[in-house]
């Protein structure tokens, strides 16, 4: 099968975007804890990135933010009264849970799900497993609404299989596509699915930072998708200890090319050999490995060189690396990027996008998008109302300007006015994205 394209579905950044320091092991999240955020700038930066990709000719979809503050979750903890009272009581009695209930973390769509294109699935459908994200409380609240959004975007059950998340238990901790890289000769051809895991389900783990993906979760996702070409690789333990909370912080791949830091995998030689074996008869993998001596892990993480989008723009025969501006600001990362673009290798061009608001929570360009390979017929079966056109970009930008605050401290998350503002914004958004009334719990 040929003629497939790689679409991106980005998480639209929600009105409660804030720096609450909720993710241990994510250095940016911890470092910026308590700082004031700018939700308006954040949503506009995200939209500009989406538009840049759409302008390059790649299909671009919008995944709606979730309802936050998450009042239904707080009610499950026994907080009662009006919605404003629930929020106030939760902030008084259980502030950490209240903060989790306010996070705009669904913006990081790379963690929304793992996707298997139809070319790799035995039943010829595109498969999605929303990630249970159990490692962090705030993120564990995402998967049900994520499934709803994926059902809305991929409504045709003949072509798309949107599964439930794996059981939300630590043994099956799953962070979605952030730990998955698909390599292939062309998007529509059968691929190699590199699944990177941090620990085993029953392994004792007392390292300072959590390993967010279990081997068994990766295996289960591949099994239920009936996916071919799976290669499982252990994430480098030193990488996790250094702040690599997802593999996509130090690794990205597209088509035949895998671009990664030398600490990304526990066994680099073994991982490369396994990829080569799985690719036999399909394509010749190209490995671009960056040595710690050229780029120490700390620089790779702070500059997010590898959390870039690696894409092939229509009409180009080489790849484009779309990096955050932080990569350009780091001399060592910039030098690596420059040398890639200046070489005759698979990456012909490097571009920079400003997603600084998200970056300060550890979310780069690659975190904000979920890649979905689609054939022409599958693309035609997606929900057109959720596809970013120039017109929708204009409407969503105006919507963000109108509804979002330009300054939010974590303390402001307790403000009941923010609850009303957010609901007004999301209520209007359901119309803009054609989601229908009842998409959000507060609308039911
Ligand atoms: O899960 N940050 C997110 C960033 C996710 C990045 N995604 C990928 N690498 N694919 C996380 O750690 C921080 C929220 C806060 O601290 O307020 C946060 O959830």
């Amino acid at each position: 099968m040929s003629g497939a394209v790689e679409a991106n579905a980005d998480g639209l950044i929600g009105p409660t975007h804030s720096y609450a320091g909720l993710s241990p092991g994510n250095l940016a999240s911890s470092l910026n804890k308590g700082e004031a955020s700018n939700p308006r700038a954040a949503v506009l930066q995200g939209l500009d990135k989406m538009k840049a990709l759409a302008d390059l000719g790649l299909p671009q979809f919008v995944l709606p933010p979730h309802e936050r503050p998450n009042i239904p979750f707080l009610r499950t903890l026994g907080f009662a009264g009006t919605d404003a009272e629930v929020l106030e009581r939760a902030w008084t009695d259980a502030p950490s849970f209240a903060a989790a209930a306010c996070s705009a973390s669904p913006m990081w769509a790379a963690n929304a799900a793992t996707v298997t294109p139809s070319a790799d699935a035995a039943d010829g459908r595109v498969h999605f497993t929303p990630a249970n994200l159990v490692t962090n409380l705030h993120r564990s609240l995402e998967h049900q609404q994520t499934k709803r959004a994926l059902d809305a975007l991929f409504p045709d059950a003949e072509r798309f299989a949107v599964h439930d998340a794996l059981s939300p238990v630590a043994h099956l901790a799953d962070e979605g596509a952030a730990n998955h890289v698909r390599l292939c000769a062309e998007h529509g051809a059968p691929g190699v699915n590199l699944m990177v895991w941090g620990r085993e389900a029953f392994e004792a783990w007392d390292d300072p930072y959590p390993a967010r993906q279990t081997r068994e979760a990766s295996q289960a996702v591949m099994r239920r998708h009936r996916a071919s070409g799976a290669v499982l690789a252990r994430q480098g333990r030193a990488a996790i200890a250094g702040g690599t909370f997802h593999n996509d912080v130090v690794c990205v791949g597209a088509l035949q090319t895998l671009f990664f830091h030398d600490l990304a995998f526990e066994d680099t030689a073994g991982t490369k050999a396994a990829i080569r074996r799985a690719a036999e008869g399909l394509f010749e993998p190209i490995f671009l490995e960056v040595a710690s001596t050229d780029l120490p892990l700390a620089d790779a993480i702070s500059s997010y060189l590898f959390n870039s989008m690696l894409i092939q723009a229509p009409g180009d025969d080489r790849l484009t690396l779309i990096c955050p501006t932080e990569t350009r600001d780091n001399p060592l990362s910039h030098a690596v990027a420059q040398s890639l673009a200046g070489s005759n290798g698979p990456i012909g061009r490097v571009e920079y996008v400003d997603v600084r608001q998200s970056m300060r929570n550890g979310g780069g360009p690659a975190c904000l998008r979920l890649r979905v390979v689609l054939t022409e017929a599958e693309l035609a079966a997606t929900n057109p109302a959720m596809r970013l056109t120039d017109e929708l970009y204009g409407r969503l930008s105006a919507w963000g300007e109108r509804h979002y605050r330009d300054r939010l401290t974590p303390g402001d998350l307790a403000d009941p006015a923010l609850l009303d503002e957010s609901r007004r914004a999301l209520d209007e958004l359901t119309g803009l994205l054609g989601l229908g009334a009842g998409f959000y719990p507060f609308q039911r």
Side-chain angles (χ1 to χ4, degrees):
M1 177 186 36
S2 62
V5 291
E6 187 177 76
N8 292 299
D10 278 46
L12 184 64
I13 296 173
T16 60
H17 159 64
S18 51
Y19 301 122
L22 302 176
S23 288
N26 169 344
L27 304 182
S29 157
S30 304
L31 195 71
N32 293 308
K33 177 178 181 165
E35 294 289 317
S37 62
N38 183 337
R40 191 186 300 162
V43 70
L44 297 176
Q45 287 170 359
L47 280 164
D48 286 349
K49 176 176 92 71
M50 292 187 225
K51 176 148 170 36
L53 271 294
D55 287 348
L56 284 173
L58 301 184
Q60 177 69 53
F61 295 98
V62 181
L63 292 170
H66 297 191
E67 172 181 334
R68 297 288 182 271
N70 189 334
I71 300 296
F73 167 63
L74 296 176
R75 287 192 187 278
T76 68
L77 304 180
F79 295 108
T82 64
D83 289 349
E85 284 164 353
V86 166
L87 189 63
E88 188 199 326
R89 288 169 187 164
W91 274 103
T92 307
D93 290 1
S96 301
F97 284 82
C102 292
S103 175
S105 58
M107 72 176 79
W108 297 298
N111 306 119
T114 306
V115 184
T116 298
S118 52
D120 296 350
D123 68 355
R125 293 189 294 169
V126 186
H127 287 253
F128 302 84
T129 289
N132 60 30
L133 299 168
V134 285
T135 304
N136 289 296
L137 174 64
H138 65 296
R139 304 225 58 184
S140 72
L141 308 177
E142 297 178 30
H143 64 88
Q144 279 125 336
Q145 185 69 18
T146 295
K147 179 176 183 330
R148 219 167 273 137
L150 293 173
D151 281 333
L153 177 52
F154 304 105
D156 179 354
E158 300 271 305
R159 297 184 185 281
F160 306 118
V162 180
H163 301 268
D164 286 325
L166 295 175
S167 292
V169 293
H171 301 79
L172 292 171
D174 177 22
E175 298 274 323
N179 294 318
H180 170 221
V181 182
R182 181 172 185 268
L183 303 177
C184 52
E186 56 179 344
H187 293 306
V192 170
N193 290 289
L194 175 63
M195 302 290 288
V196 183
W197 52 273
R199 65 178 166 87
E200 292 179 330
F202 293 94
E203 184 177 350
W205 188 264
D206 50 17
D207 288 16
Y209 294 146
R212 295 196 197 181
Q213 181 90 25
T214 67
R215 179 162 65 87
E216 289 78 355
S218 300
Q219 286 170 325
V221 170
M222 290 289 96
R223 199 181 291 126
R224 55 161 45 177
H225 291 190
R226 297 172 62 200
S228 59
V231 169
L232 274 95
R234 186 169 193 145
Q235 214 182 340
R237 214 162 163 151
I240 298 174
T244 306
F245 56 98
H246 290 135
N247 176 61
D248 71 3
V249 171
V250 288
C251 173
V252 62
L255 297 170
Q256 297 92 331
T257 302
L258 191 69
F259 174 46
F260 60 99
H261 191 269
D262 67 0
L263 290 178
F265 308 111
E266 191 64 25
D267 172 10
T268 306
T271 302
K272 282 158 60 171
I275 292 171
R276 272 201 198 95
R277 268 195 308 278
E280 242 168 51
L282 299 176
F283 61 94
E284 188 62 43
I286 304 170
F287 298 111
L288 298 179
E289 181 174 343
V290 178
S292 296
T293 43
D294 291 330
L295 183 66
L297 182 68
D299 289 271
I301 292 176
S302 65
S303 69
Y304 261 35
L305 167 67
F306 299 94
N307 199 261
S308 300
M309 298 176 69
L310 189 56
I311 59 131
Q312 187 174 43
D316 281 1
D317 46 2
R318 291 168 84 199
L319 301 171
T320 299
L321 190 70
I322 301 176
C323 304
T325 48
E326 284 78 353
T327 296
R328 196 175 47 198
D329 298 342
N330 179 302
L332 296 175
S333 285
H334 190 225
V336 175
Q338 293 286 92
S339 78
L340 286 172
S343 75
N344 288 325
I347 299 176
R349 201 151 43 113
V350 179
E351 288 182 7
Y352 297 92
V353 289
D354 177 2
V355 288
R356 282 177 194 275
Q357 285 290 319
S358 166
M359 278 290 289
R360 300 181 78 217
N361 258 332
C367 298
L368 288 161
R369 60 91 177 98
L370 182 68
R371 304 200 266 192
V372 188
V373 168
L374 297 167
T375 64
E376 270 173 42
E378 288 157 358
L379 184 60
T382 57
N383 180 351
M386 296 171 77
R387 185 157 176 181
L388 193 82
T389 56
D390 285 350
E391 194 197 342
L392 184 60
Y393 166 78
R395 285 182 184 201
L396 290 175
S397 302
W399 166 86
E401 299 262 14
R402 209 164 48 246
H403 288 286
Y404 282 47
R405 297 190 185 186
D406 62 3
R407 186 185 149 83
L408 197 66
T409 64
D412 295 332
L413 294 169
D415 179 2
L418 183 67
L419 174 67
D420 292 340
E421 289 163 33
S422 302
R423 287 182 173 178
R424 267 197 302 278
L426 297 186
D427 209 30
E428 191 180 322
L429 183 70
T430 50
L432 290 173
L433 295 179
L435 296 167
F439 180 74
Y440 289 111
F442 77 88
Q443 295 173 318
R444 285 174 220 146

